[in-house]
Amino acid sequence: MYRLLEYGILFFVMVILQVFLFSRIGISIYVNPLVYIAFLILLPMEIAGALLLVLGMVLGMTVDFFMGTAGINTIATLFAAFCRPAVLTLLVGKDEVPNVNRIGLKRFLRYAGVIVLLHGTVFFVLESLTWSFFYLTLLRIICSSVITLLLVYFCQKLFAVNRQGGYGEI
């Protein structure tokens, strides 16, 4: 029950941050942080595939509803949720929770970076819907993915608990 509440709060916080903060910040036309993907990245590794897809769909639909985007977030988030188990298997291996404390900084950044890049690629390609601005879209994918990855890392640091040693050594 504790874990369910923890991930429910994470879902709520990520959606609120995306809808009311990051979607309204006008950093640049090249930077659009999609920080809500942190929810999928930080879910436990042993989560069932069907539940992961349902959570991805609910997350995407919630963000689409509040931001008025016609399914772009849902499609991108579902794609990221679909790819997540394969990315975890290839880059991380089997572990309990995908956070820096458990898998290390390098492996976490590789894993989160691939998920963020996959999500951002689908999102920005669907947003542009043309090959006329290929290089502009590619620049948006790269810049937004770098900023999103940094934000996901900081969100992970805020929400992660060192499960090996608890909250501190006594």
Side-chain angles (χ1 to χ4, degrees):
M1 182 64 180
Y2 167 74
R3 298 291 300 252
L4 185 63
L5 180 62
E6 178 183 326
Y7 287 109
I9 291 170
L10 178 63
F11 178 90
F12 181 73
V13 168
M14 289 299 105
V15 169
I16 294 297
L17 283 174
Q18 183 64 46
V19 171
F20 294 111
L21 181 63
F22 293 113
S23 67
R24 304 210 188 278
I25 294 176
I27 300 170
S28 166
I29 62 167
Y30 303 110
V31 178
N32 182 11
L34 302 170
V35 74
Y36 67 94
I37 196 66
F39 173 73
L40 282 182
I41 290 171
L42 298 176
L43 285 173
M45 292 183 182
E46 69 272 358
I47 191 166
L51 180 59
L52 181 64
L53 290 174
V54 168
L55 289 173
M57 187 175 78
V58 169
L59 177 64
M61 288 174 63
T62 304
V63 174
D64 278 334
F65 176 77
F66 285 113
M67 291 178 55
T69 51
I72 295 174
N73 292 297
T74 303
I75 294 168
T77 307
L78 267 173
F79 181 72
F82 178 77
C83 293
R84 182 181 182 261
V87 171
L88 276 170
T89 302
L90 289 172
L91 298 178
V92 177
K94 296 293 179 189
D95 210 318
E96 185 179 331
V97 178
N99 67 39
V100 172
N101 297 332
R102 296 288 297 195
I103 65 175
L105 179 63
K106 186 176 178 181
R107 288 189 343 175
F108 177 80
L109 288 178
R110 241 188 347 225
Y111 152 67
V114 169
I115 297 294
V116 166
L117 193 59
L118 289 170
H119 178 262
T121 300
V122 172
F123 180 86
F124 290 113
V125 166
L126 287 174
E127 187 180 58
S128 68
L129 282 181
T130 182
W131 292 110
S132 300
F133 302 109
F134 174 75
Y135 293 110
L136 177 63
T137 303
L138 185 62
L139 185 61
R140 289 187 76 199
I141 290 167
I142 293 167
C143 293
S144 295
S145 293
V146 168
I147 298 299
T148 299
L149 182 59
L150 288 172
L151 293 169
V152 165
Y153 172 75
F154 289 122
C155 289
Q156 181 275 147
K157 292 303 268 182
L158 290 174
F159 285 100
V161 175
N162 185 355
R163 306 246 185 247
Q164 293 173 340
Y167 289 101
E169 301 290 314
I170 295 178

